[in-house]
Amino acid sequence: MTPEEAVCHVITTNPTFAVHEVEVRGVTVKAFKAIPGTVPALLASGWEQHGEGALEFLAYESETYTYAEFTQSVNQLAHAMRDELGLGQGDRVAIAMRNYPELLMLVLAISSIGGVVVFLNAWWTSEELDYALLDSKARVVFADGLRMERLQPLRDALDLTLIGVRDAEGQTAHDLSSLKRNARSDTAPLVEIDTDDDFAIMYSSGTTGHPKGVVQTHRGAVNAVFSWLMQSVIAPLVDPPDPDAPEPLRPSALVVTPLFHVTATHPLFLLSLPAGAKITLMHKWDPEQAVRLIRDNSITRFLGVPTQSAELMEAALKMGETLPSLDYLGAGGAKRPGAQVAKLAEAFPNAGVATGWGMTETNALGIGMIGDDYKARPDSAGKLHPPVQELRMLDDAGNDVPLGELGEITVKSPANMRCYLNKPEATDEVLQDGWLRTGDLGVLDLDGFVTILDRKKNIIIRGGENIACLDVEGALHHHPDVLEATVFSVPDDRLGETVGAAVQLKAGAQLTLADMAAFLDGHLAKFKIPTALWTQHDILLRGATDKIDRRAIREACLNNKET
């Protein structure tokens, strides 16, 4: 079958993927008709696929949890939050920690009581955490040791209830393990949750300096999950396996990106529930350890930022490994260099090398491709994932542009966010009659492939981390010797791009890169601190409207010209 024929066949013959039209916030969209309506319902829906709970579901270093054990922990935490902490429907509960098993349990436990999960970036400073907690009004935070240190100065001013996890236990009045100890584990609390209720708030950097809280609904998350699940049903119809091919391995995913980003939470963790997949968490990214984990645990799915797949390839070649269990090698969060695609396919011959484009604002659902399509178009982002999304390419006035002409990628689906938290103007700017204007510019060809060419937003993507230029500029302007600053991307072979800054200093002042980094330490997360600095005493280049010409300054700096 062609991909289009396969989609039509699946949605008309498989009741799980039947599609209907539904009204969401006054807009008619296509959505799956018979899927679980909420995120916690995904847990129950995966029971049979995980061997009636008996299969190993989650691994972290020497720890393992069966699906039944994982479910039991979720239920215990849900009851404890409701009965001991008094949390319930609509309460916003924050999580600030590295990739621990407890983070996954908490996501489902919070949503099981009708709460809203607030994902806090584990690399944020106290100042950045302060902003997000004020913005979200979350007053209960589960945190590990390092995050607890950063949260303690905020506790009294924000009236926070801090709950220690792992190395933070014993530091506050509440610990996660003691909360679980006497709580019920047989069933989840009985709570009625509407599919259009809020599920989570994830923070995504924007051009306003402060990160935006992206409000995701249950409907949005589960429709994204089943869009990806449908791809596994379509694939053998488009490319049937050989008659004598061995039985495929059980799906098993290695999580190597932070779980406060959609790249890890949605197409890996949440998808694993109905897909019957196992999840393995890494304590810290280490490419050689990743090779060993994939090899020794028959891991089939790897999804990370492009830097990680490149480093995985280098480590595997060094170790003489081809990782035959891998059938999916994906990249998200940033564009993979086109020259890498063929090299990855050669290094991992059993893996379908894949790329994907999605946003926090779309629950990570978007565009993608794999295998031969990707090898033939290594600079493209792929095709729209069916069947509930619609795509338009628009000019600045909101008109559709002809095929092959540059336009703004604009998508409509039930997976689109509800809003930006506390930012109605920013919401109205990007959400128009159900269509999400993404800020990414690209071209659509006759075959439906999208190539992304530029970003309207002033965002730097460093190894998959979004950094708002205005965020860094705002911090630089606090330096007593800085009169003006502009921030831009600097190409980097490993991370794709890093942060560069050009600053105008006061007369007679000097500023070194090391001095600047020391000044910004504690005010910005380390990944946001510029790695390249250009200084001058003259005014920075201006454009025709007397605004700083960021692009011209960037070009001049990178070419060692006067700015």
Side-chain angles (χ1 to χ4, degrees):
M1 295 183 187
T2 66
E4 293 73 20
E5 289 171 341
V7 170
C8 183
H9 175 78
V10 170
I11 63 177
T12 55
T13 62
N14 187 331
T16 299
F17 301 104
V19 172
H20 68 156
E21 289 191 340
V22 62
E23 189 172 295
V24 179
R25 298 181 292 279
V27 174
T28 300
V29 296
K30 294 184 291 183
F32 289 110
K33 186 177 181 180
I35 64 174
T38 67
V39 169
L42 292 174
L43 185 62
S45 75
W47 188 258
E48 181 180 349
Q49 287 82 352
H50 290 272
E52 303 295 331
L55 293 180
E56 186 176 293
F57 169 62
L58 179 59
Y60 172 72
E61 298 197 310
S62 62
E63 303 170 26
T64 60
Y65 303 81
T66 66
Y67 200 73
E69 290 168 339
F70 180 81
T71 300
Q72 180 180 7
S73 290
V74 170
N75 293 343
Q76 285 176 311
L77 285 169
H79 281 287
M81 280 189 274
R82 189 189 66 175
D83 301 337
E84 298 185 43
L85 298 178
L87 295 170
Q89 206 117 12
D91 287 331
R92 294 169 181 169
V93 183
I95 304 173
M97 67 184 71
R98 68 180 312 129
N99 285 7
Y100 285 132
E102 288 84 353
L103 194 158
L104 303 182
M105 298 168 186
L106 284 165
V107 169
L108 291 175
I110 294 165
S111 58
S112 291
I113 61 171
V116 181
V117 185
V118 179
F119 290 89
L120 299 177
N121 189 313
W123 296 331
W124 277 344
T125 64
S126 294
E127 287 184 21
E128 292 163 312
L129 290 166
D130 182 54
Y131 171 79
L133 289 169
L134 280 169
D135 184 56
S136 67
K137 296 183 172 57
R139 292 296 172 262
V140 175
V141 189
F142 288 84
D144 63 4
L146 184 55
R147 267 49 62 176
M148 188 66 77
E149 289 178 18
R150 298 173 189 166
L151 287 162
Q152 288 284 13
L154 311 175
R155 184 184 61 185
D156 294 339
L158 298 181
D159 191 25
L160 300 177
T161 298
L162 301 177
I163 300 166
V165 179
R166 299 253 168 176
D167 55 343
E169 295 213 349
Q171 296 183 24
T172 61
H174 297 283
D175 294 333
L176 182 140
S177 57
S178 59
L179 279 178
K180 284 176 59 179
R181 192 168 295 126
N182 299 315
R184 286 183 58 183
S185 62
D186 52 337
T187 60
L190 292 175
V191 180
E192 286 192 18
I193 305 169
D194 189 87
T195 189
D196 288 313
D197 285 348
D198 293 345
F199 153 60
I201 298 168
M202 278 190 164
Y203 280 88
S204 177
S205 292
T207 57
T208 57
H210 287 302
K212 296 189 185 81
V214 177
V215 181
Q216 302 167 342
T217 66
H218 289 269
R219 187 195 296 274
V222 297
N223 271 271
V225 164
F226 275 79
S227 294
W228 297 311
L229 188 63
M230 185 171 160
Q231 304 310 303
S232 64
V233 179
I234 291 170
L237 300 177
V238 176
D239 185 18
D242 294 333
D244 56 350
E247 281 291 312
L249 295 170
R250 179 192 176 199
S252 179
L254 182 64
V255 176
V256 298
T257 58
L259 284 161
F260 50 78
H261 285 326
V262 285
T263 302
T265 51
H266 290 51
L268 289 180
F269 168 51
L270 294 182
L271 175 59
S272 74
L273 301 173
K278 179 184 172 182
I279 290 288
T280 299
L281 304 179
M282 288 194 75
H283 176 74
K284 183 180 181 181
W285 171 244
D286 178 324
E288 292 190 6
Q289 176 64 4
V291 170
R292 288 188 286 270
L293 285 169
I294 294 168
R295 178 195 65 199
D296 298 343
N297 296 279
S298 298
I299 286 170
T300 64
R301 185 176 176 86
F302 181 96
L303 175 59
V305 297
T307 304
Q308 290 170 318
S309 56
E311 291 179 348
L312 182 77
M313 175 175 63
E314 291 173 8
L317 291 173
K318 176 183 173 183
M319 298 165 70
E321 300 286 351
T322 59
L323 305 181
S325 66
L326 266 187
D327 62 25
Y328 179 91
L329 182 63
K335 185 181 182 297
R336 177 187 277 135
Q340 261 183 33
V341 179
K343 293 178 183 178
L344 288 166
E346 183 179 355
F348 305 115
N350 286 6
V353 182
T355 187
W357 169 94
M359 303 174 70
T360 309
E361 289 88 339
T362 66
N363 280 274
L365 186 60
I367 294 165
M369 61 179 169
I370 189 171
D372 291 340
D373 281 338
Y374 191 19
K375 285 188 281 186
R377 302 169 177 84
D379 291 315
S380 176
K383 287 184 173 182
L384 198 70
H385 286 307
V388 299
Q389 293 190 101
E390 299 174 66
L391 171 69
R392 297 172 70 190
M393 308 294 285
L394 303 181
D395 62 19
D396 288 342
N399 302 311
D400 293 278
V401 302
L403 282 177
E405 291 194 12
L406 188 69
E408 183 176 0
I409 299 169
T410 307
V411 291
K412 179 182 178 182
S413 88
N416 283 354
M417 68 173 183
R418 180 172 69 79
C419 67
Y420 287 125
L421 185 65
N422 303 323
K423 291 180 169 58
E425 291 182 2
T427 301
D428 292 342
E429 184 180 338
V430 301
L431 270 180
Q432 298 165 7
D433 296 322
W435 290 91
L436 178 73
R437 300 198 65 153
T438 67
D440 288 311
L441 302 175
V443 294
L444 175 68
D445 69 18
L446 190 62
D447 297 318
F449 289 90
V450 176
T451 300
I452 299 172
L453 299 177
D454 202 353
R455 292 193 302 275
K456 292 177 74 174
K457 309 169 186 175
N458 293 320
I459 294 290
I460 298 166
I461 302 181
R462 176 195 180 277
E465 285 296 324
N466 285 0
I467 302 167
C469 290
L470 294 186
D471 192 11
V472 182
E473 289 169 2
L476 282 168
H477 282 128
H478 285 290
H479 193 287
D481 291 331
V482 171
L483 290 176
E484 197 164 45
T486 188
V487 169
F488 44 82
S489 65
V490 175
D492 184 270
D493 290 338
R494 190 174 77 87
L495 296 167
E497 54 191 23
T498 58
V499 183
V503 300
Q504 179 192 357
L505 297 174
K506 293 179 179 178
Q510 301 294 322
L511 182 64
T512 67
L513 182 64
D515 289 340
M516 177 205 62
F519 175 79
L520 294 176
D521 188 32
H523 297 284
L524 289 175
K526 291 189 184 300
F527 70 90
K528 298 179 183 179
I529 296 176
T531 58
L533 176 67
W534 290 264
T535 64
Q536 62 188 61
H537 294 97
D538 296 330
I539 191 170
L540 296 175
L541 280 174
R542 256 53 181 177
T545 59
D546 203 37
K547 293 181 180 178
I548 288 179
D549 192 335
R550 190 190 309 273
R551 289 189 180 184
I553 292 171
R554 177 182 185 274
E555 182 180 357
C557 289
L558 295 181
N559 290 306
N560 294 312
K561 297 178 181 178
E562 290 293 324
T563 63

